Amino acid sequence: RLSYFLRFIPKVHDTIVMAGHLRSIIMSAAVPQGAPDSDDPAHGVYPTWWVSLIDFRQQIYYWGGTLQPNFLWIDLNRLARDGRFDEGSPTLSLNPRQRTLAGMPLEGEVSNDFSSSASTAALLSAEGPEGGSNPDLAAAAATAAAAVLIGLTTVRV
């Protein structure tokens, strides 16, 4: 199914538009939240929590949670120019659930939004829709933050 749709992506040179096309194809195979799952690996169907893409040519890492309408991207070249990959540089993290001052989810280019990794501790107390603690949501958010960290630490520029 995915390979079929890949044949119909328009030829574009804008990497942000191309990331949008690829995300739409990936989401066509995503498992929705709330789908029944099982601990049996032979029969397990698990929800898709996020989509990530990497543009290796331009060194841009894209990430989007499936429960949020936004997509983030990180310019790895910018981080390299800023010395964030240098030996001895501090570990920084990005909370993908962070809100802007206007209360909106983060979106777009977020390379300058990283902070000390201690700030990710707040993810472990993520709240559910009713305001109570939601361990599944907290685990998913922590995993998503780890994915952003992994994406930054495993890609060498």
Side-chain angles (χ1 to χ4, degrees):
R1 178 173 166 172
L2 298 178
S3 62
Y4 173 79
F5 288 140
L6 278 172
R7 296 185 304 185
F8 301 103
I9 292 179
K11 303 291 184 220
V12 296
H13 297 287
D14 183 332
T15 59
I16 296 171
V17 172
M18 181 56 76
H21 285 301
L22 292 172
R23 182 182 186 188
S24 71
I25 290 173
I26 291 169
M27 292 306 294
S28 75
V31 176
Q33 304 300 315
D37 60 10
S38 168
D39 288 333
D40 181 359
H43 299 100
V45 175
Y46 305 98
T48 303
W49 287 100
W50 69 83
V51 172
S52 61
L53 305 164
I54 298 177
D55 178 342
F56 288 103
R57 180 172 293 142
Q58 300 214 15
Q59 298 291 300
I60 298 175
Y61 179 82
Y62 297 92
W63 184 92
T66 58
L67 297 178
Q68 297 175 325
N70 57 328
F71 215 49
L72 313 175
W73 58 91
I74 302 160
D75 183 337
L76 299 172
N77 287 319
R78 177 184 289 180
L79 295 180
R81 281 191 307 271
D82 292 347
R84 304 231 184 134
F85 296 133
D86 292 350
E87 185 80 29
S89 62
T91 300
L92 300 173
S93 62
L94 176 68
N95 177 349
R97 295 171 34 100
Q98 178 179 328
R99 299 281 178 167
T100 65
L101 290 176
M104 301 301 293
L106 286 177
E107 64 182 354
E109 212 287 326
V110 295
S111 299
N112 291 329
D113 293 331
F114 282 82
S115 59
S116 71
S117 56
S119 65
T120 58
L123 288 174
L124 299 178
S125 63
E127 291 186 0
E130 292 79 34
S133 179
N134 182 334
D136 292 334
L137 185 60
T143 303
V148 172
L149 283 171
I150 291 167
L152 290 177
T153 58
T154 58
V155 176
R156 295 287 177 222
V157 285

